[in-house]
Amino acid sequence: MNKQYLVWALTCPFVFFLVACGDGKTGETVSDFSRPNILFILADDLGYTDLGVYGGEIETPNLDRLAKAGLILTDFHNQAVCAPTRASILAGTDNRNAGGAMHQTPNQVGVPGYESHLSLDVVPFPDLLRQSGYTTYFFGKWHLGSEPEHLPSARGFDRSYALMEGFASHFHDRGRFRPDQLGTYYEDGKLVEKLPEDFFSTDFYTDLLIDYLDKDAESGKPWFAYLAYPAPHWPLQAPDEYIDKYKGVYDEGYEVLREKRIARGKKLGVIPQEAVMYPRYQSVPAWTDLAVEEKAIASREMEIYAAMVDGIDQNVGRLLNHLKAIGEYDDTLIIFISDNGAEGVDRGGPARGWDNSLENMGRINSYLYYGERWAQAGVGVGRYHKALTSEGGSLGPAIIYNKDMTKKGQMNDEFMSVVDFYPTFVELAGGSHFKTGSNGKAIHEIQGYSLLPVLFGDADSVRPDDFTYGWEVFGHRALRKGDYKLLWLTSKPTEPGQVVPELADQWGLYDLSVDPGETNDLSESKPEIRADLLKEWDDYVARNGIVLPVGRPAPPPGRGPRGGARN
C-alpha cells in the first residue's frame, strides 16, 4: 500500500455529508494514490477460543500465522447472531437501523429496521467501493433477503454466488430442516438450479474467489472480496479425511476441553489472568455422567466441528498462497472474524429423514449440532453463547493484517465492533466524499469508527474512554460504557428453542476488564455506575428506535422437531 495514501487516509476523517480532503469530485481525492485490495473473511458460528492463537487445539496454522504477523483483537464484538451482524457489517450502524431482524414479534413486524432483509433505507458500503472504482465480490452465506432487490447483485456486488438462507447442507444436496427442503442459491442475481456434485461449501467458495481474481486480473482495478463461509454453522458436515484427523481428540469431554482452552488463552494473553469462567450450565450434565454411547456421539460431533474449522483454515491458507503467487498479497488488507459466539442450541436428532447414525455423522445425509455442551468450551470463560447479549454471544475472534500496518505481531484489547468496517473500508477506498449511493439515496448515519488510526497510526483505540455501545437481540439487552457492561437476559427469548438463562429478567453490572465471564454482579457495590448506564440504555433505545419484543413470533417454516428452527 502506498505510504502517501496512508498519510492521506489518516488526516482525512471519515465524515459523511461533508466533503473530505480534495475538492469533493468523484475520484479526484485519491487519483494519485494506490488503494489496497480488501479481503474480508467471515466465519459462521466460530467460537472465541477455536483458533490456535485464541487457545484452541484445532489445527489452524494459516490463520495463526496471519494473526501473529498482524493484529489480534481481544475485545471485538459482533451483534450476537447471524443476520443482525451481517446487516451491521454492510450498513455500519446498529442492526435495528440496518435490518436483518430474525423472529420478530407482532409488535415489531413492519417497524423500520426490523425487516428480515438488509434495509433499503441504508446504502451498503460495497456500493460506495464500486463507485470508487473497486470490483466487488460476494461468495457464501447472504441471509439478508432473497427478493431481487435484496440480492447481493442489487446491494453493491459486481459478482456473487450466495446461499440465501441462514444454513443448508454443506454438500450438493442442499437439505435444510428436512432432506426435501432445499437451500436457495443465486449467482449474479440468477437462481442456481443445481449445485455441482463435488460441492463442499468452504472449498467451493474459495475456488470461486480464486477463479474470479484470476479472470479479472487484467483490469488493474483494486478489489473488495467478501468471503462469507457458511462453516462451521450446522449441520455439522465435512469430508471424511478432514474428520478422521480428529478421531479421539475429544474423548476427555467438554469440561476438560474448556479448562485446557482457558489455560492456553490466559498463557497467550487473549483471556485476562484474573478471569473466572462462567459455571457449567445446569442443563449440561457432567461428562462423567454420560453413558458410553452418549460420549461416543458427543465426541464425534466435536470431531466434525473441528474438521470444519480446520477446513476453513486450509482454504484460507490456499487463498493467501494464491494472492502471494499473483503478487496481490502485499497490496491487500486482510480481515478475519466470526459473526457471533459459539452456537449453543441443541436441536439435532434422527427426525425428519436424516441418517444420524454414528457411522454416517458428518456425511451428506446427516444433520447435527454440537450444542451448548461444547459451546461452553468455544466461548472460553464466557457466559452463554450465540443469540444472547452476554459475552459468550457477542465476543468473537478478529484478525487484521496488512504489510504496512504500524501494529504487527501485537494484541489490542480495546473495544471494536463490526460497525467499524464500513467507515474503514470506504475511507481506504477513497469514497468518503460520496453523499449518496449509486441509486441517489442519501447515505444514512454511520455509527462505526474508522479503524485506520489504529491500523496505520499510533492510536490504540478509535473510541473515547467513556464510549457507549448498546445492542439487543431476541429480548436480551446489553450496554457497554468503557469497561463496564450492563446486561439483561430475558427468561422469554423470542428465538424458538433457545436456552432460558439463569439469573434472568434483571439488570447486572460487570467490569469486563477483569470479569469477561460476567460472574461478579457489581450492581450493589457500584450503584452510581449502574444508574448511569441505565440512563445510557434509555438513550440508546430512543436513538435507535429499539422496539422490545412483546409476545411470541410466528413459528418459522419447517420448524425443527424440538421446538423450533433457527437460521
Side-chain angles (χ1 to χ4, degrees):
M1 190 189 305
N2 189 295
K3 295 296 181 66
Q4 283 182 300
Y5 178 74
L6 296 181
V7 174
W8 173 87
L10 293 172
T11 56
C12 297
F14 182 91
V15 183
F16 275 116
F17 308 116
L18 295 176
V19 177
C21 297
D23 62 6
K25 296 181 181 179
T26 303
E28 292 189 17
T29 307
V30 294
S31 59
D32 294 330
F33 302 104
S34 173
R35 294 170 297 168
N37 306 314
I38 303 170
L39 173 60
F40 182 72
I41 305 173
L42 181 69
D44 198 350
D45 290 359
L46 186 75
Y48 183 74
T49 65
D50 284 339
L51 303 181
V53 289
Y54 283 90
E57 74 300 325
I58 301 172
E59 293 186 24
T60 56
N62 297 294
L63 286 165
D64 293 347
R65 188 159 45 245
L66 185 73
K68 291 174 183 177
L71 188 64
I72 301 171
L73 306 185
T74 61
D75 196 10
F76 178 81
H77 283 259
N78 48 60
Q79 301 298 87
V81 71
C82 300
T85 290
R86 291 159 201 270
S88 286
I89 288 170
L90 290 172
T93 187
D94 189 271
N95 59 284
R96 294 316 184 194
N97 302 318
M102 298 169 61
H103 309 302
Q104 300 94 323
T105 51
N107 67 312
Q108 296 171 332
V109 175
V111 176
Y114 283 79
E115 306 93 341
S116 295
H117 55 264
L118 181 64
S119 173
L120 295 176
D121 291 330
V122 302
V123 176
F125 73 77
D127 181 289
L128 301 181
L129 267 59
R130 191 160 63 177
Q131 290 189 68
S132 301
Y134 274 64
T135 301
T136 54
Y137 306 100
F138 180 90
F139 301 121
K141 169 177 162 179
W142 180 241
H143 204 191
L144 290 173
S146 57
E147 295 301 316
E149 66 273 23
H150 303 313
L151 299 177
S153 55
R155 304 313 307 265
F157 291 98
D158 293 307
R159 306 307 301 263
S160 59
Y161 198 117
L163 168 66
M164 294 295 102
E165 294 87 4
F167 72 97
S169 170
H170 293 277
F171 294 111
H172 70 85
D173 59 312
R174 298 191 291 158
R176 281 175 46 77
F177 299 112
R178 305 184 306 270
D180 61 346
Q181 186 187 51
L182 305 181
T184 310
Y185 293 78
Y186 278 86
E187 181 177 18
D188 295 337
K190 297 179 180 179
L191 182 66
V192 175
E193 299 292 344
K194 185 178 181 180
L195 297 177
E197 287 293 318
D198 62 350
F199 180 92
F200 180 69
S201 63
T202 310
D203 298 344
F204 180 79
Y205 294 123
T206 308
D207 289 341
L208 271 181
L209 178 53
I210 289 173
D211 288 345
Y212 276 113
L213 291 178
D214 287 347
K215 290 176 183 176
D216 295 339
E218 297 302 317
S219 73
K221 296 171 61 176
W223 49 263
F224 168 76
Y226 187 161
L227 189 55
Y229 288 129
H233 192 295
W234 45 264
L236 300 181
Q237 295 172 320
D240 286 352
E241 61 269 24
Y242 285 16
I243 301 172
D244 292 343
K245 182 177 179 179
Y246 291 92
K247 185 173 178 58
V249 171
Y250 300 103
D251 289 352
E252 291 182 304
Y254 35 80
E255 293 150 308
V256 171
L257 178 64
R258 189 183 190 195
E259 291 171 358
K260 287 183 175 180
R261 286 190 175 188
I262 292 172
R264 283 193 295 266
K266 289 185 175 182
K267 185 176 181 180
L268 291 168
V270 298
I271 297 174
Q273 290 296 324
E274 59 269 68
V276 176
M277 72 176 183
Y278 191 79
R280 173 167 52 87
Y281 312 148
Q282 295 176 7
S283 57
V284 173
W287 182 259
T288 54
D289 291 341
L290 297 182
V292 173
E293 182 180 0
E294 291 176 311
K295 290 179 179 178
I297 292 172
S299 293
R300 191 61 168 172
E301 289 170 342
M302 188 60 203
E303 290 166 10
I304 302 165
Y305 178 88
M308 298 176 78
V309 177
D310 189 310
I312 289 175
D313 183 79
Q314 291 186 44
N315 276 275
V316 169
R318 188 160 61 91
L319 176 58
L320 298 185
N321 286 336
H322 186 76
L323 292 181
K324 293 174 183 177
I326 63 175
E328 295 281 283
Y329 184 78
D330 287 345
D331 294 325
T332 303
L333 175 68
I334 303 166
I335 295 177
F336 178 93
I337 69 166
S338 177
D339 65 343
N340 44 247
E343 169 63 273
V345 174
D346 183 4
R347 289 190 306 277
R352 304 233 175 206
W354 303 104
D355 176 6
N356 286 343
S357 62
L358 186 63
E359 297 73 22
N360 196 59
M361 288 174 63
R363 293 178 176 169
I364 193 169
N365 191 37
S366 63
Y367 191 85
L368 304 159
Y369 309 73
Y370 82 165
E372 60 186 3
R373 298 172 298 183
W374 295 110
Q376 280 209 282
V379 301
V381 298
R383 181 178 183 178
Y384 293 108
H385 41 70
K386 170 183 174 178
L388 289 88
T389 50
S390 53
E391 290 299 280
S394 64
L395 178 66
I399 298 166
I400 305 178
Y401 172 81
N402 178 267
K403 74 177 182 65
D404 290 325
M405 283 168 43
T406 53
K407 298 178 179 67
K408 293 190 290 187
Q410 299 183 31
M411 291 184 184
N412 184 296
D413 62 359
E414 298 292 337
F415 181 90
M416 299 180 199
S417 162
V418 292
V419 302
D420 298 332
F421 294 127
Y422 191 120
T424 304
F425 295 162
V426 175
E427 190 172 345
L428 272 177
S432 302
H433 57 292
F434 289 115
K435 299 179 181 179
T436 66
S438 58
N439 61 357
K441 181 175 288 294
I443 296 171
H444 56 286
E445 177 192 1
I446 307 303
Q447 296 181 348
Y449 289 75
S450 171
L451 301 179
L452 295 188
V454 171
L455 302 183
F456 300 108
D458 297 327
D460 291 321
S461 176
V462 295
R463 288 175 168 80
D465 292 340
D466 60 349
F467 77 92
T468 59
Y469 186 94
W471 63 109
E472 180 273 332
V473 62
F474 305 138
H476 305 301
R477 315 166 200 176
L479 184 125
R480 277 283 297 268
K481 186 170 185 178
D483 289 330
Y484 288 100
K485 178 178 176 180
L486 198 64
L487 176 67
W488 172 293
L489 300 179
T490 179
S491 62
K492 297 178 181 179
T494 61
E495 190 199 27
Q498 192 185 110
V499 62
V500 176
E502 302 153 10
L503 302 176
D505 302 329
Q506 56 184 318
W507 286 110
L509 176 69
Y510 305 94
D511 180 354
L512 297 185
S513 66
V514 295
D515 184 26
E518 297 165 330
T519 61
N520 182 25
D521 186 356
L522 303 175
S523 295
E524 292 188 6
S525 62
K526 297 184 181 296
E528 70 287 349
I529 294 178
R530 183 178 185 272
D532 177 50
L533 266 65
L534 282 170
K535 292 179 181 177
E536 297 284 5
W537 168 260
D538 290 340
D539 289 345
Y540 162 75
V541 169
R543 186 169 65 252
N544 291 281
I546 304 299
V547 178
L548 295 174
V550 175
R552 304 294 294 174
R559 60 183 296 168
R562 299 192 198 173
R566 145 158 176 200
N567 293 339

